Amino acid sequence: DVKVTQSSRYLVKRTGEKVFLECVQDMDHENMFWYRQDPGLGLRLIYFSYDVKMKEKGDIPEGYSVSREKKERFSLILESASTNQTSMYLCASSPTTYEQYFGPGTRLTVT
Amino acid sequence: DQQVKQNSPSLSVQEGRISILNCDYTNSMFDYFLWYKKYPAEGPTFLISISSIKDKNEDGRFTVFLNKSAKHLSLHIVPSQPGDSAVYFCAASDATGTYKYIFGTGTRLKVLA
């Protein structure tokens, strides 16, 4: 079974802090994705990566950056957390086929 | 500009009856569609997919129908079970090969026992 793990299920941070969200997949997938899920807005793509050290902006990249130094790990970085970044963050991975496999999510609260 | 729309935020159905979840899209370049199911406090799990070369795909109790001319797809669950209660997302991808998806806003299905 594909396993996608995220470093924290719940996280509380203060405004202005630098926040790291880690995602690890164990199936040697080429593609990895970061989404945020907000009520009434569905899942919105923040960034994705199709190879090590490669990244592309999604639909809402502002205020975020990413890092992919190893194939299995994709990190989302909030350089200076703000309250409007309070959300559920979901990581996904996929091979070079269409289905994406999601992690359990990290609920981030910025106070 | 929402390219993938799920206009019903919620749906309630009696156990044993059919659940029909709808999804509309605006981009005619979309060529592959997925449905995901999401329980609270869990990540979405893949349910069923359909390519634009087909108009129907079936997997057990789940069937997805695609009407390309209407830019509409629907997910049918027959018979509905209480364990099907979840939020359902449709997602669409175009033919650019990036495996990037646009997700709808989700429909919360409640199956009543």
Side-chain angles (χ1 to χ4, degrees):
Chain A
D1 273 355
V2 176
K3 193 157 185 187
V4 180
T5 56
Q6 295 183 228
S7 50
S8 305
R9 294 299 301 270
Y10 300 94
L11 210 52
V12 179
K13 295 292 181 181
R14 293 195 179 276
T15 303
E17 277 193 80
K18 190 167 186 175
V19 182
F20 293 87
L21 302 181
E22 304 283 338
C23 175
V24 177
Q25 50 97 358
D26 66 357
M27 285 303 292
D28 202 35
H29 286 170
E30 289 79 8
N31 307 303
M32 296 188 76
F33 307 81
W34 275 107
Y35 295 87
R36 61 179 282 177
Q37 182 197 357
D38 299 289
L41 296 176
L43 275 70
R44 294 180 292 165
L45 182 65
I46 305 170
Y47 268 97
F48 69 102
S49 167
Y50 51 89
D51 201 351
V52 176
K53 296 192 186 294
M54 305 300 287
K55 60 185 180 186
E56 284 202 24
K57 293 180 180 179
D59 301 316
I60 50 165
E62 297 79 18
Y64 303 94
S65 62
V66 289
S67 171
R68 193 167 180 200
E69 296 295 319
K70 292 184 179 181
K71 193 174 186 180
E72 68 270 19
R73 188 180 296 269
F74 191 35
S75 302
L76 180 69
I77 303 151
L78 287 66
E79 296 290 341
S80 177
S82 63
T83 54
N84 63 11
Q85 292 178 310
T86 291
S87 187
M88 168 70 84
Y89 289 88
L90 292 160
C91 174
S93 73
S94 73
T96 50
T97 57
Y98 285 97
E99 288 81 7
Q100 293 185 8
Y101 300 87
F102 283 84
T106 296
R107 183 161 292 285
L108 173 68
T109 302
V110 183
T111 61
Chain B
D1 178 25
Q2 192 76 23
Q3 295 188 68
V4 178
K5 299 177 186 179
Q6 293 177 257
N7 292 318
S8 299
S10 64
L11 176 68
S12 291
V13 171
Q14 284 295 132
E15 181 179 7
R17 306 295 291 269
I18 184 171
S19 295
I20 300 176
L21 296 96
N22 294 304
C23 181
D24 297 295
Y25 61 95
T26 57
N27 188 343
S28 58
M29 296 300 293
F30 287 151
D31 69 336
Y32 204 85
F33 304 89
L34 305 179
W35 282 95
Y36 281 87
K37 178 168 74 173
K38 186 181 184 302
Y39 293 118
E42 293 183 15
T45 53
F46 169 73
L47 202 53
I48 193 168
S49 63
I50 189 165
S51 162
S52 60
I53 62 172
K54 293 186 173 184
D55 55 17
K56 177 182 173 182
N57 189 27
E58 197 169 348
D59 184 2
R61 296 187 297 115
F62 301 92
T63 303
V64 56
F65 295 92
L66 176 62
N67 182 335
K68 288 189 291 290
S69 60
K71 295 193 182 72
H72 176 84
L73 64 155
S74 60
L75 175 68
H76 292 211
I77 306 173
V78 183
S80 302
Q81 299 173 354
D84 296 329
S85 298
V87 177
Y88 290 79
F89 292 98
C90 64
S93 179
D94 60 25
T96 60
T98 61
Y99 308 103
K100 178 182 148 184
Y101 281 92
I102 306 293
F103 280 78
T105 53
T107 296
R108 183 177 301 277
L109 173 67
K110 189 171 184 179
V111 180
L112 307 168

